[in-house]
Amino acid sequence: MNVKRKSMLTSSIVGRALKESLLKLNPAVMIRNPVMFVVEIGTAIVLLLSLFPGLVGTEGDTGFNLTVFFILLFTLLFANFAEALAEGRGKAQAASLKNTKKEIQANKLVGGAVRVVPSTELRKGDVVVVSQGESIPGDGEVIEGLASVDESAITGESAPVIKEAGGDFSSVTGGTRVVSDKITVRITSDPGESFIDRMISLVEGAKRQKTPNELALSTLLISLTIIFLIVVVTLKPIAAYLGIDLQVPVLIALLVCLIPTTIGGLLSAIGIAGMDRVTQFNVLAMSGKAVEAAGDINTMILDKTGTITYGNRMAGEFVPVGGHDVRTVGEWAAIGSLHDETPEGRSVLELAKRIGLELDASQASGAEIVEFKAETRMSGLDLLDGRKVRKGAVDTVKKWIVSLGGKVPEDLDVKSDAIAREGGTPLAVAVDGRIFGLIYLKDTVKPGMRDRFDQLREMGIKTIMCTGDNPLTAATIAREAGVDDFVAESKPEDKIALIRREQAEGKLVAMTGDGTNDAPALAQADVGLAMNSGTIAAKEAANMVDLDSDPSKIIEVVSIGKQLLMTRGALTTFSIANDIAKYFAIIPAMFILAIPEMGALNVMGLESPKTAILSALIFNAIIIPLLIPLAMKGVAYKPMSAAKLLGRNLFVYGFGGVVAPFIGIKLIDLFVGLWI
Ligand SMILES: Nc1ncnc2c1ncn2[C@@H]1O[C@H](COP(=O)(O)OP(=O)(O)OP(=O)(O)O)[C@@H](O)[C@H]1O
Ligand SMILES: [K+]
Ligand SMILES: [Mg+2]
């Protein structure tokens, strides 16, 4: 199974959508869409009047009434089809996800012994052993061992990933497969609440709730519907007073033309398709609300390493200071990195090997490991003989040696600034009270970042790079990448503070993260995008998960959110602007017999009152399927300021919405006139 499946609409999806369109006629289902529900009631009344002419008022024209009935029926089916089509791809994906969810055997650890139980019996807290070739029976955390895991079942990415106990790569997902080695996993979810279960219900739209924005728009559409309902109902006595007998089917036709059926019919399809676009992008949004929030983002917080830069920060050079030589710096850097499992730490050992340093690993035996932490920004070893070896951010190492009574070498700042100015990260290497030199960590800004940040700026989004690195490196990378602002030497809690500060100014904030210490910030942000490779805590705090674990995707997610909101706005404008032409078509048609002067309003020169009404009604129906592709794909859009965008859309969809039906209704009238 592969969520990344790119195929658009298969014939089976279309076939199923056609069937669904009929099933969705069920009034109990239809009532969730009040605008279309009003159309359905109208349709039923017209059918009744066609079958029993003369039920109310004077006997009508049965042929005409039946025609109105069929056009109304198709209006309903078209709206249903739009929704069913939008749901189709998710349902197909859910079906294949369910296939990966079959019951498997799990090796559960009970009192030190392995017992084979069905995976469905596993509960939170159970511990299982998974060996090479076996599927992981449930979501969990690796508590022992290291293994490479094939996650293609959920990510679509075929290259296996390493999962190991401790740290940010310890979470595993049920249904993925261990391809080498063996791990012990503590299960973290009960049956029915796993990641795949959540994915299924998400792509299926089973728990889809209306988003705040959709609710607001629905309220507007319902209000419009009620207003037009009152207008049309009062029209009958007014007309009667003028001596005109308005037939009920004609009034219903007028009502359906005037109420916002176009947007009413497409609204839910737009929302589902927006969610689907995010999913096709291999990002799981926990709710439509999250996708919408992405569309309204004002501030985006990005970390430097791994998001803006490639993040494979590699030691490139050892730089001695204070009169020491390269060998000494390199050796101490390497000794201090013997137990540093971070990519930076491992790259120090590789560099030492590359330049031919002989390492005596026994020096580290029995040493106490000081792990790297974002809070301390240092790592190293406390050797058995009492010496303390450290490497870390220059300012923290300086503080450390000063606290031990050491002296900062005079050439340290010049040399570390030189590295930082080139965009590199200098790590100072120290033993007890002495700094021996620097490790030059190199990283590269991902190509195309500047363009993307330019686009975000045009959309009115401020980008802030938040990094644990020193101000000089941060400034260089910020300039190179083109972000608007940066915060250097930031600790994890500084991220939360930054988010709160922006939110206090009334801004919506997006951020990405993967570590347990990112979890609070991910939860605080309006849009929190967690990496699938990250910890369970991060994934649970976030409202989106990127299955590809590419933090820079937040940029595209925001674009998709914007596009969703714009599509909804554009089609609402279009739908309401359509009414003008319909007034000109139907009102003269209704009154022309009693008030011949009304003929002046027949600017389209429509054939007859009957053809005018039918043409307006047919246009009103077929505009729905015609706009389905736009609703599904989203309106094309170039980044620009919100005000400019609004102006442009008002012109295209407002003006277009006024003009299109004049042309459309006239053309349809020419055809209808041939038959009637
Ligand atoms: N393995 C390590 N050992 C010692 N110090 C390190 C190690 N890795 C990073 N550092 C230092 O700690 C600082 C903070 O690292 P951290 O990973 O928190 O932030 P960052 O990677 O620089 O920035 P970002 O938040 O953009 O990822 C780094 O800038 C570096 O100076
Ligand atoms: K309408
Ligand atoms: Mg980092």
Side-chain angles (χ1 to χ4, degrees), residues 195-207:
F195 192 66
I196 291 210
D197 287 317
R198 270 201 291 165
M199 264 180 92
I200 291 172
S201 83
L202 276 170
V203 294
E204 193 165 53
K207 282 200 210 124

mmCIF file with all atom_site columns, all heavy atoms in Angstrom, residues 195-207:
data_model
loop_
_atom_site.group_PDB
_atom_site.id
_atom_site.type_symbol
_atom_site.label_atom_id
_atom_site.label_alt_id
_atom_site.label_comp_id
_atom_site.label_asym_id
_atom_site.label_entity_id
_atom_site.label_seq_id
_atom_site.pdbx_PDB_ins_code
_atom_site.Cartn_x
_atom_site.Cartn_y
_atom_site.Cartn_z
_atom_site.occupancy
_atom_site.B_iso_or_equiv
_atom_site.pdbx_formal_charge
_atom_site.auth_seq_id
_atom_site.auth_comp_id
_atom_site.auth_asym_id
_atom_site.auth_atom_id
_atom_site.pdbx_PDB_model_num
ATOM 1   N N   . PHE A 1 195 ? -1.808  4.021  14.689 1.00 0.00 ? 195 PHE A N   1
ATOM 2   C CA  . PHE A 1 195 ? -1.548  5.022  13.657 1.00 0.00 ? 195 PHE A CA  1
ATOM 3   C C   . PHE A 1 195 ? -2.269  4.655  12.362 1.00 0.00 ? 195 PHE A C   1
ATOM 4   O O   . PHE A 1 195 ? -2.902  5.495  11.727 1.00 0.00 ? 195 PHE A O   1
ATOM 5   C CB  . PHE A 1 195 ? -0.033  5.101  13.431 1.00 0.00 ? 195 PHE A CB  1
ATOM 6   C CG  . PHE A 1 195 ? 0.399   6.266  12.610 1.00 0.00 ? 195 PHE A CG  1
ATOM 7   C CD1 . PHE A 1 195 ? 0.240   7.562  13.083 1.00 0.00 ? 195 PHE A CD1 1
ATOM 8   C CD2 . PHE A 1 195 ? 0.964   6.089  11.355 1.00 0.00 ? 195 PHE A CD2 1
ATOM 9   C CE1 . PHE A 1 195 ? 0.647   8.654  12.334 1.00 0.00 ? 195 PHE A CE1 1
ATOM 10  C CE2 . PHE A 1 195 ? 1.374   7.172  10.602 1.00 0.00 ? 195 PHE A CE2 1
ATOM 11  C CZ  . PHE A 1 195 ? 1.213   8.456  11.087 1.00 0.00 ? 195 PHE A CZ  1
ATOM 12  N N   . ILE A 1 196 ? -2.192  3.372  11.989 1.00 0.00 ? 196 ILE A N   1
ATOM 13  C CA  . ILE A 1 196 ? -2.869  2.945  10.754 1.00 0.00 ? 196 ILE A CA  1
ATOM 14  C C   . ILE A 1 196 ? -4.384  3.107  10.904 1.00 0.00 ? 196 ILE A C   1
ATOM 15  O O   . ILE A 1 196 ? -5.059  3.551  9.976  1.00 0.00 ? 196 ILE A O   1
ATOM 16  C CB  . ILE A 1 196 ? -2.486  1.490  10.382 1.00 0.00 ? 196 ILE A CB  1
ATOM 17  C CG1 . ILE A 1 196 ? -1.018  1.477  9.966  1.00 0.00 ? 196 ILE A CG1 1
ATOM 18  C CG2 . ILE A 1 196 ? -3.401  0.944  9.296  1.00 0.00 ? 196 ILE A CG2 1
ATOM 19  C CD1 . ILE A 1 196 ? -0.610  0.452  8.950  1.00 0.00 ? 196 ILE A CD1 1
ATOM 20  N N   . ASP A 1 197 ? -4.921  2.790  12.078 1.00 0.00 ? 197 ASP A N   1
ATOM 21  C CA  . ASP A 1 197 ? -6.363  2.998  12.302 1.00 0.00 ? 197 ASP A CA  1
ATOM 22  C C   . ASP A 1 197 ? -6.723  4.459  12.090 1.00 0.00 ? 197 ASP A C   1
ATOM 23  O O   . ASP A 1 197 ? -7.722  4.790  11.457 1.00 0.00 ? 197 ASP A O   1
ATOM 24  C CB  . ASP A 1 197 ? -6.759  2.595  13.730 1.00 0.00 ? 197 ASP A CB  1
ATOM 25  C CG  . ASP A 1 197 ? -6.750  1.090  13.917 1.00 0.00 ? 197 ASP A CG  1
ATOM 26  O OD1 . ASP A 1 197 ? -7.241  0.398  13.013 1.00 0.00 ? 197 ASP A OD1 1
ATOM 27  O OD2 . ASP A 1 197 ? -6.257  0.622  14.952 1.00 0.00 ? 197 ASP A OD2 1
ATOM 28  N N   . ARG A 1 198 ? -5.869  5.331  12.658 1.00 0.00 ? 198 ARG A N   1
ATOM 29  C CA  . ARG A 1 198 ? -6.148  6.760  12.513 1.00 0.00 ? 198 ARG A CA  1
ATOM 30  C C   . ARG A 1 198 ? -6.031  7.182  11.052 1.00 0.00 ? 198 ARG A C   1
ATOM 31  O O   . ARG A 1 198 ? -6.820  7.965  10.552 1.00 0.00 ? 198 ARG A O   1
ATOM 32  C CB  . ARG A 1 198 ? -5.167  7.565  13.375 1.00 0.00 ? 198 ARG A CB  1
ATOM 33  C CG  . ARG A 1 198 ? -5.698  7.813  14.785 1.00 0.00 ? 198 ARG A CG  1
ATOM 34  C CD  . ARG A 1 198 ? -5.004  8.965  15.426 1.00 0.00 ? 198 ARG A CD  1
ATOM 35  N NE  . ARG A 1 198 ? -3.604  8.623  15.707 1.00 0.00 ? 198 ARG A NE  1
ATOM 36  C CZ  . ARG A 1 198 ? -2.675  9.520  16.008 1.00 0.00 ? 198 ARG A CZ  1
ATOM 37  N NH1 . ARG A 1 198 ? -2.977  10.788 16.046 1.00 0.00 ? 198 ARG A NH1 1
ATOM 38  N NH2 . ARG A 1 198 ? -1.451  9.144  16.263 1.00 0.00 ? 198 ARG A NH2 1
ATOM 39  N N   . MET A 1 199 ? -5.013  6.638  10.373 1.00 0.00 ? 199 MET A N   1
ATOM 40  C CA  . MET A 1 199 ? -4.849  6.958  8.954  1.00 0.00 ? 199 MET A CA  1
ATOM 41  C C   . MET A 1 199 ? -6.079  6.548  8.166  1.00 0.00 ? 199 MET A C   1
ATOM 42  O O   . MET A 1 199 ? -6.563  7.284  7.315  1.00 0.00 ? 199 MET A O   1
ATOM 43  C CB  . MET A 1 199 ? -3.646  6.197  8.390  1.00 0.00 ? 199 MET A CB  1
ATOM 44  C CG  . MET A 1 199 ? -2.384  6.991  8.373  1.00 0.00 ? 199 MET A CG  1
ATOM 45  S SD  . MET A 1 199 ? -1.046  6.002  7.692  1.00 0.00 ? 199 MET A SD  1
ATOM 46  C CE  . MET A 1 199 ? -1.140  6.425  5.972  1.00 0.00 ? 199 MET A CE  1
ATOM 47  N N   . ILE A 1 200 ? -6.583  5.335  8.469  1.00 0.00 ? 200 ILE A N   1
ATOM 48  C CA  . ILE A 1 200 ? -7.741  4.837  7.732  1.00 0.00 ? 200 ILE A CA  1
ATOM 49  C C   . ILE A 1 200 ? -8.926  5.789  7.919  1.00 0.00 ? 200 ILE A C   1
ATOM 50  O O   . ILE A 1 200 ? -9.552  6.217  6.956  1.00 0.00 ? 200 ILE A O   1
ATOM 51  C CB  . ILE A 1 200 ? -8.105  3.401  8.176  1.00 0.00 ? 200 ILE A CB  1
ATOM 52  C CG1 . ILE A 1 200 ? -7.023  2.429  7.713  1.00 0.00 ? 200 ILE A CG1 1
ATOM 53  C CG2 . ILE A 1 200 ? -9.464  2.992  7.621  1.00 0.00 ? 200 ILE A CG2 1
ATOM 54  C CD1 . ILE A 1 200 ? -7.165  1.022  8.245  1.00 0.00 ? 200 ILE A CD1 1
ATOM 55  N N   . SER A 1 201 ? -9.195  6.140  9.176  1.00 0.00 ? 201 SER A N   1
ATOM 56  C CA  . SER A 1 201 ? -10.375 6.975  9.377  1.00 0.00 ? 201 SER A CA  1
ATOM 57  C C   . SER A 1 201 ? -10.159 8.378  8.803  1.00 0.00 ? 201 SER A C   1
ATOM 58  O O   . SER A 1 201 ? -11.100 9.024  8.368  1.00 0.00 ? 201 SER A O   1
ATOM 59  C CB  . SER A 1 201 ? -10.797 6.996  10.852 1.00 0.00 ? 201 SER A CB  1
ATOM 60  O OG  . SER A 1 201 ? -10.056 7.931  11.557 1.00 0.00 ? 201 SER A OG  1
ATOM 61  N N   . LEU A 1 202 ? -8.898  8.798  8.741  1.00 0.00 ? 202 LEU A N   1
ATOM 62  C CA  . LEU A 1 202 ? -8.622  10.110 8.155  1.00 0.00 ? 202 LEU A CA  1
ATOM 63  C C   . LEU A 1 202 ? -8.840  10.120 6.650  1.00 0.00 ? 202 LEU A C   1
ATOM 64  O O   . LEU A 1 202 ? -9.552  10.975 6.119  1.00 0.00 ? 202 LEU A O   1
ATOM 65  C CB  . LEU A 1 202 ? -7.173  10.516 8.440  1.00 0.00 ? 202 LEU A CB  1
ATOM 66  C CG  . LEU A 1 202 ? -6.928  11.159 9.785  1.00 0.00 ? 202 LEU A CG  1
ATOM 67  C CD1 . LEU A 1 202 ? -5.451  11.293 10.035 1.00 0.00 ? 202 LEU A CD1 1
ATOM 68  C CD2 . LEU A 1 202 ? -7.602  12.517 9.821  1.00 0.00 ? 202 LEU A CD2 1
ATOM 69  N N   . VAL A 1 203 ? -8.203  9.177  5.944  1.00 0.00 ? 203 VAL A N   1
ATOM 70  C CA  . VAL A 1 203 ? -8.317  9.193  4.484  1.00 0.00 ? 203 VAL A CA  1
ATOM 71  C C   . VAL A 1 203 ? -9.739  8.844  4.052  1.00 0.00 ? 203 VAL A C   1
ATOM 72  O O   . VAL A 1 203 ? -10.225 9.291  3.023  1.00 0.00 ? 203 VAL A O   1
ATOM 73  C CB  . VAL A 1 203 ? -7.304  8.260  3.779  1.00 0.00 ? 203 VAL A CB  1
ATOM 74  C CG1 . VAL A 1 203 ? -5.896  8.747  3.988  1.00 0.00 ? 203 VAL A CG1 1
ATOM 75  C CG2 . VAL A 1 203 ? -7.448  6.835  4.244  1.00 0.00 ? 203 VAL A CG2 1
ATOM 76  N N   . GLU A 1 204 ? -10.420 8.086  4.877  1.00 0.00 ? 204 GLU A N   1
ATOM 77  C CA  . GLU A 1 204 ? -11.780 7.686  4.569  1.00 0.00 ? 204 GLU A CA  1
ATOM 78  C C   . GLU A 1 204 ? -12.749 8.838  4.843  1.00 0.00 ? 204 GLU A C   1
ATOM 79  O O   . GLU A 1 204 ? -13.854 8.875  4.348  1.00 0.00 ? 204 GLU A O   1
ATOM 80  C CB  . GLU A 1 204 ? -12.093 6.499  5.482  1.00 0.00 ? 204 GLU A CB  1
ATOM 81  C CG  . GLU A 1 204 ? -13.291 5.723  5.159  1.00 0.00 ? 204 GLU A CG  1
ATOM 82  C CD  . GLU A 1 204 ? -13.267 4.398  5.903  1.00 0.00 ? 204 GLU A CD  1
ATOM 83  O OE1 . GLU A 1 204 ? -13.105 4.415  7.144  1.00 0.00 ? 204 GLU A OE1 1
ATOM 84  O OE2 . GLU A 1 204 ? -13.427 3.370  5.251  1.00 0.00 ? 204 GLU A OE2 1
ATOM 85  N N   . GLY A 1 205 ? -12.318 9.767  5.646  1.00 0.00 ? 205 GLY A N   1
ATOM 86  C CA  . GLY A 1 205 ? -13.178 10.905 5.987  1.00 0.00 ? 205 GLY A CA  1
ATOM 87  C C   . GLY A 1 205 ? -14.283 10.502 6.941  1.00 0.00 ? 205 GLY A C   1
ATOM 88  O O   . GLY A 1 205 ? -15.298 11.179 7.067  1.00 0.00 ? 205 GLY A O   1
ATOM 89  N N   . ALA A 1 206 ? -14.094 9.362  7.621  1.00 0.00 ? 206 ALA A N   1
ATOM 90  C CA  . ALA A 1 206 ? -15.160 8.836  8.462  1.00 0.00 ? 206 ALA A CA  1
ATOM 91  C C   . ALA A 1 206 ? -15.553 9.811  9.569  1.00 0.00 ? 206 ALA A C   1
ATOM 92  O O   . ALA A 1 206 ? -16.721 9.985  9.872  1.00 0.00 ? 206 ALA A O   1
ATOM 93  C CB  . ALA A 1 206 ? -14.726 7.512  9.082  1.00 0.00 ? 206 ALA A CB  1
ATOM 94  N N   . LYS A 1 207 ? -14.538 10.465 10.140 1.00 0.00 ? 207 LYS A N   1
ATOM 95  C CA  . LYS A 1 207 ? -14.856 11.333 11.255 1.00 0.00 ? 207 LYS A CA  1
ATOM 96  C C   . LYS A 1 207 ? -14.809 12.797 10.840 1.00 0.00 ? 207 LYS A C   1
ATOM 97  O O   . LYS A 1 207 ? -14.558 13.674 11.638 1.00 0.00 ? 207 LYS A O   1
ATOM 98  C CB  . LYS A 1 207 ? -13.852 11.096 12.396 1.00 0.00 ? 207 LYS A CB  1
ATOM 99  C CG  . LYS A 1 207 ? -14.149 9.844  13.180 1.00 0.00 ? 207 LYS A CG  1
ATOM 100 C CD  . LYS A 1 207 ? -13.483 9.908  14.545 1.00 0.00 ? 207 LYS A CD  1
ATOM 101 C CE  . LYS A 1 207 ? -13.129 8.514  15.037 1.00 0.00 ? 207 LYS A CE  1
ATOM 102 N NZ  . LYS A 1 207 ? -11.730 8.374  15.364 1.00 0.00 ? 207 LYS A NZ  1
#
